[in-house]
Amino acid sequence: MADVNDLVQYVRGVGPKREELLERLGVRTIRDLLYFFPRKYHDRANLVPIEQIEADTRAMVFGDVVKVNLFRRGRGRGILTVHVRDHTGAMKAVWYNQNYLAQQFDAGDTVLLWGPVRFYKGYELVNPNFEHVGVEEHGGVALSDEQSRLVPVYSLTEGLSQGQLRPMIRAALDQYGDAVPELLPEPVRRRYDLPGIREALEHAHFPESAEDKDRAKRRLIYEEFLVFQLAIALRRRAVRSAPGIAFKTSGEFDRRARDLFPFTLTESQEEAIAAIQSDMRSPRPMNRLLQGDVGCGKTVVALYAMLMAVANKFQAAIMAPTEILAEQHYRTMTRMLDGSRVRVGLLSRSSERREVLDQVRRGDLDIVIGTHAVIQSDVTFHRLGFVVIDEQHKFGVMQRAHLRWKGRSPDVLVMTATPIPRTLALTVFGDLDVSTIRELPPGRRPVQTRHIEPERIDRAYQFIREQVASGRQAYVVCPLVEQSELVDLRSATATATELDDRVFPEFTVGLLHGRMPRDQKERVMAAFLAGDIQVLVSTIVIEVGIDVPNAAVMLVRHAERFGLAQLHQLRGRIGRGPHQATCLLVGTAKSDDARRRIEVMCETADGFRIAEEDLRIRGTGQLFGTRQHGLPDVSIGDLQEDFDLLEQARDDAAALARADPRLERPEHAPLRDRMLDLYRDRLSLIGIG
Ligand code: ADP
Ligand code: MG
């Protein structure tokens, strides 16, 4: 009968107009409405009748606006005074230099104000927070109703007030509360002492106490995480039980492969290779993530694995995020494989593309290198056995290989230079095994990083001059200034000209940017690598993958405009050789976040710390905002704050998937339905639903 998948129009008090407003909030069905949780709660315990207000406390006042006065002192400056009254008395609220707020108050408005109180001729709230409330709403739900101390506050859209939304949710709960399917099996609820769904929804919206609210939230967060983790667990099982390739390895192969590397592998590299070998020997497809800071030596590990595939008469492919990086991989690999019989090809957008494609199809190439886009489109492999996806730091746009070879899944290795924060490890990357390279190759000295104010840039130039005079090379990086690539390009070009003509007339200054034709880019890179260019001005194209050990200085202009992860990636371009390297961040921080980013860069070179600071500064919201990132749309939980629940849900989901891999048991039916509703697209692989 009552079905929570019905449209909200069936809820009492929801007409076509409100239906439209709700839609703007992402609420279409009755379930959406019931799961539309408050953004926060007002605690009525803080509400003070005006006659009882005291100076030097913080207070919340609920009253009507009597009068609004704005005393202007010119250009946005001034004093705004709003007189308010409740049934016990009157007082003022005062804001300084926020004249624009004046428009938001009219006599007769009912408002909630909260902030510090002082006494100056009379009681005043100073720069308080405020919220407009309809009379009926706060009055109706909160002021007269003694039992509900916490009043829910929802995110709104224009045309919809708290006072209209609250009764709709009340009605939805009354009409449909009993029709919401219980997703959590009884034993799970008992184990964690979680309330049933009806009670949880009631208390999430209209809690009687903070404890009720917290218990309800915990249950709803756990539910949300469990459904998501279940999707991952099932996918993981399915991927792992698909037919794969069981590669063979031998001492002979191992020796020959190692002979190709001009150095001894680090312990971390050895561990990663051992894990990969054991994955590759197994007849199940490998899905492994290899994480490690820039320059830690992931490429060699990938090369070893690809060679193992080639030794087994399979082809291997490596997908890079940019053309420049693909070319870099191509150069590195051709160099290392020089003298072996392994045939390597670069699949670019160039004219030889057709020919390379033919070679790939015929099996005349063993290792194929290209960008994500290039390899995913129209490539037919003769016998593809191994795929490397080099994501660098762009884990946000994680792509999985859709490459198949005669129905068999090739082994997949994903490489990332950004250490995966633990939240992501359990979500986006939840179906991968993880190897981590924690050490840098021996002999590396950490890059020294300094912040320089723009007016002292001459000192930075002087430093570069000395370094170049002693044989080093330098990068000068210009930021993305405008949205338009052309404008950015002009700024980089102008910088290059200025440096060449005026600052370093004695050196050769080169320019590299994303818009240059490939052969020109290659020429510039080759000249820089050969040392013919001493100072290379570039846009952010060098962010990934360029390896010039003699480059020991990097100057970043407008460093305040770069994100933390980006700065870290950029800095990874230097410090690759035996010389002490220096990174000069030139810029003026205009916000606290920008200042913090520069500080963090000067303090540490540890990629794991930087990744965590980055998350802290940006907040999960920004990083995880959208579906395309592969993250769940968590509506109530917070992946970082509720990490313990996320872990719990992961373990429980794994156990459930083991016990009932197709979720066929009747007690699991609601869970299964919900999971398919939310994640059907991502579960296409697993053949349920
Ligand atoms: P990543 O891909 O992790 O950023 P690379 O594989 O490009 O790092 O390696 C960075 C540099 O370190 C390269 O010049 C590479 O040849 C070198 N390198 C890698 N492993 C070692 C090692 N074990 N000893 C010395 N140098 C190494
Ligand atoms: Mg690399």
Side-chain angles (χ1 to χ4, degrees):
M1 281 289 310
D3 186 344
V4 292
N5 293 313
D6 286 347
L7 298 178
V8 271
Q9 63 182 30
Y10 295 105
V11 174
R12 232 181 302 119
V14 182
K17 174 144 182 293
R18 288 190 173 173
E19 198 179 358
E20 220 181 283
L21 292 169
L22 286 172
E23 171 115 38
R24 270 196 243 151
L25 295 170
V27 172
R28 284 190 62 248
T29 65
I30 290 156
R31 182 204 302 275
D32 295 340
L33 186 59
L34 291 171
Y35 276 76
F36 190 76
F37 297 115
R39 167 167 66 82
K40 60 178 180 182
Y41 305 81
H42 283 319
D43 190 342
R44 279 207 316 132
N46 295 331
L47 203 61
V48 189
I50 290 180
E51 67 173 1
Q52 286 173 25
I53 212 140
E54 286 175 35
D56 305 320
T57 56
R58 294 183 65 84
M60 179 185 274
V61 166
F62 172 69
D64 297 326
V65 173
V66 184
K67 196 166 68 171
V68 182
N69 269 332
L70 176 59
F71 176 67
R72 286 180 203 277
R73 280 198 208 132
R75 282 220 282 137
R77 298 170 48 76
I79 303 175
L80 171 66
T81 310
V82 171
H83 299 254
V84 286
R85 186 176 57 200
D86 71 3
H87 59 288
T88 67
M91 70 181 299
K92 289 187 240 175
V94 198
W95 288 268
Y96 293 93
N97 301 330
Q98 299 180 62
N99 295 2
Y100 62 94
L101 291 180
Q103 298 155 8
Q104 304 196 23
F105 295 95
D106 284 311
D109 289 355
T110 304
V111 290
L112 203 53
L113 299 154
W114 65 102
V117 181
R118 72 168 179 205
F119 188 86
Y120 172 74
K121 294 185 192 165
Y123 288 105
E124 294 177 340
L125 282 160
V126 185
N127 291 324
N129 294 304
F130 64 92
E131 185 179 303
H132 283 70
V133 282
V135 191
E136 88 281 13
E137 50 191 89
H138 216 69
V141 182
L143 291 182
S144 59
D145 188 349
E146 272 311 316
Q147 58 160 347
S148 122
R149 212 191 75 181
L150 295 172
V151 183
V153 179
Y154 298 93
S155 301
L156 296 173
T157 180
E158 203 179 324
L160 191 68
S161 71
Q162 301 290 348
Q164 293 164 331
L165 186 54
R166 276 183 203 129
M168 287 191 253
I169 291 182
R170 182 68 264 163
L173 273 167
D174 293 342
Q175 283 174 265
Y176 290 90
D178 292 325
V180 185
E182 173 60 78
L183 303 188
L184 299 185
E186 169 73 28
V188 172
R189 260 182 299 146
R190 220 170 328 111
R191 188 175 333 138
Y192 302 120
D193 185 29
L194 299 173
I197 186 61
R198 176 73 175 85
E199 185 187 333
L201 289 173
E202 182 71 37
H203 286 167
H205 290 288
F206 303 108
E208 283 163 27
S209 66
E211 298 73 55
D212 280 355
K213 180 202 68 178
D214 292 342
R215 245 182 115 230
K217 268 189 83 172
R218 215 177 142 70
R219 182 229 136 96
L220 293 163
I221 294 170
Y222 176 81
E223 170 183 316
E224 181 167 61
F225 287 170
L226 184 69
V227 172
F228 177 61
Q229 289 295 334
L230 200 55
I232 293 179
L234 292 178
R235 199 186 126 107
R236 185 183 165 98
R237 284 183 68 85
V239 169
R240 259 148 246 259
S241 56
I245 306 160
F247 294 98
K248 294 194 175 56
T249 184
S250 66
E252 159 78 3
F253 160 77
D254 187 68
R255 208 166 24 73
R256 291 220 324 263
R258 282 163 197 277
D259 276 352
L260 296 170
F261 307 146
F263 37 69
T264 322
L265 298 179
T266 64
E267 212 166 294
S268 285
Q269 285 171 321
E270 292 289 2
E271 281 166 20
I273 285 180
I276 291 169
Q277 271 184 332
S278 116
D279 289 348
M280 287 180 74
R281 274 194 229 111
S282 128
R284 301 286 163 223
M286 156 172 141
N287 264 290
R288 184 169 287 274
L289 178 75
L290 178 60
Q291 61 174 349
D293 219 341
V294 257
C296 71
K298 296 181 293 296
T299 315
V300 189
V301 174
L303 183 57
Y304 183 99
M306 290 194 286
L307 290 174
M308 186 162 150
V310 173
N312 281 264
K313 305 257 180 318
F314 281 89
Q315 289 171 302
I318 175 164
M319 303 164 40
T322 64
E323 291 253 332
I324 291 200
L325 188 59
E327 286 150 22
Q328 168 89 27
H329 279 319
Y330 180 68
R331 269 196 302 275
T332 312
M333 296 193 177
T334 350
R335 194 171 355 117
M336 286 206 199
L337 296 174
D338 189 30
S340 82
R341 276 168 303 166
V342 180
R343 299 157 299 178
V344 186
L346 177 65
L347 192 55
S348 70
R349 297 201 193 89
S350 73
S351 49
E352 310 98 69
R353 180 174 169 77
R354 281 251 64 84
E355 198 188 323
V356 179
L357 279 174
D358 285 343
Q359 291 174 323
V360 176
R361 189 170 44 244
R362 286 197 305 267
D364 293 346
L365 284 176
D366 302 307
I367 293 180
V368 186
I369 300 167
T371 66
H372 296 173
V374 162
I375 289 208
Q376 282 192 328
S377 52
D378 54 349
V379 191
T380 312
F381 285 87
H382 177 65
R383 213 170 131 81
L384 181 64
F386 196 86
V387 178
V388 181
I389 306 175
D390 189 355
E391 290 279 343
Q392 290 295 333
H393 66 293
K394 302 209 160 80
F395 55 66
V397 292
M398 177 84 182
Q399 320 193 23
R400 301 293 170 80
H402 294 299
L403 303 164
R404 289 279 178 282
W405 175 75
K406 291 191 182 160
R408 281 213 269 175
S409 304
D411 282 0
V412 177
L413 179 69
V414 180
M415 304 199 290
T416 171
T418 304
I420 305 299
R422 44 191 204 145
T423 44
L424 289 188
L426 288 201
T427 51
V428 189
F429 298 97
D431 56 351
L432 299 176
D433 295 311
V434 179
S435 290
T436 305
I437 301 189
R438 288 184 193 281
E439 58 195 319
L440 293 177
R444 297 271 177 85
R445 280 189 263 177
V447 177
Q448 285 183 359
T449 303
R450 292 206 292 267
H451 175 214
I452 292 182
E453 292 293 339
E455 52 281 9
R456 315 188 77 170
I457 197 165
D458 283 341
R459 298 180 50 161
Y461 288 152
Q462 181 53 28
F463 180 78
I464 291 181
R465 196 168 290 120
E466 287 158 16
Q467 288 283 306
V468 175
S470 69
R472 304 289 80 74
Q473 287 163 282
Y475 293 105
V476 174
V477 183
C478 301
L480 298 174
V481 186
E482 308 272 335
Q483 288 301 322
S484 138
E485 219 181 319
L486 268 178
V487 178
D488 291 336
L489 210 154
R490 244 180 272 138
S491 97
T493 313
T495 303
T497 313
E498 189 205 333
L499 293 187
D500 201 15
D501 292 353
R502 282 203 294 277
V503 184
F504 302 122
E506 70 273 43
F507 304 139
T508 309
V509 177
L511 173 65
L512 186 70
H513 59 71
R515 280 277 186 103
M516 284 159 64
R518 189 162 77 89
D519 50 341
Q520 200 180 334
K521 267 190 290 198
E522 287 225 304
R523 269 204 304 279
V524 174
M525 277 312 300
F528 191 58
L529 190 61
D532 297 336
I533 290 174
Q534 281 114 28
V535 178
L536 182 63
V537 178
S538 83
T539 56
I540 173 154
V541 291
I542 63 156
E543 189 182 347
V544 279
I546 288 170
D547 197 3
V548 180
N550 191 47
V553 190
M554 172 174 290
L555 184 157
V556 182
R557 301 190 56 165
H558 289 293
E560 79 278 1
R561 299 206 178 134
F562 290 89
L564 194 47
Q566 231 174 3
L567 285 174
H568 180 62
Q569 292 299 315
L570 279 170
R571 182 170 60 181
R573 297 303 111 210
I574 56 173
R576 302 182 149 234
H579 313 287
Q580 175 62 56
T582 311
C583 177
L584 306 170
L585 302 175
V586 179
T588 308
K590 295 187 185 74
S591 69
D592 287 346
D593 284 357
R595 188 165 314 119
R596 185 72 198 127
R597 290 197 293 266
I598 292 177
E599 263 169 34
V600 171
M601 285 298 292
C602 293
E603 271 164 27
T604 184
D606 178 347
F608 279 83
R609 250 203 73 199
I610 287 177
E612 268 170 24
E613 286 287 343
D614 195 28
L615 268 188
R616 199 163 301 144
I617 292 173
R618 294 202 282 170
T620 19
Q622 278 206 21
L623 189 61
F624 298 157
T626 62
R627 281 219 163 157
Q628 104 202 21
H629 287 194
L631 270 145
D633 290 331
V634 288
S635 64
I636 181 166
D638 178 297
L639 295 175
Q640 282 183 318
E641 255 168 50
D642 304 312
F643 189 77
D644 61 322
L645 281 178
L646 187 62
E647 262 183 322
Q648 200 84 69
R650 191 253 334 250
D651 295 346
D652 295 340
L656 266 169
R658 254 195 316 277
D660 185 8
R662 303 178 65 82
L663 295 181
E664 281 159 338
R665 292 191 204 152
E667 68 269 30
H668 295 153
L671 207 45
R672 172 179 182 277
D673 291 346
R674 186 76 186 128
M675 181 187 74
L676 289 173
D677 262 3
L678 287 175
Y679 303 112
R680 191 183 298 274
D681 46 339
R682 270 186 258 158
L683 289 168
S684 53
L685 264 181
I686 68 179
I688 67 171

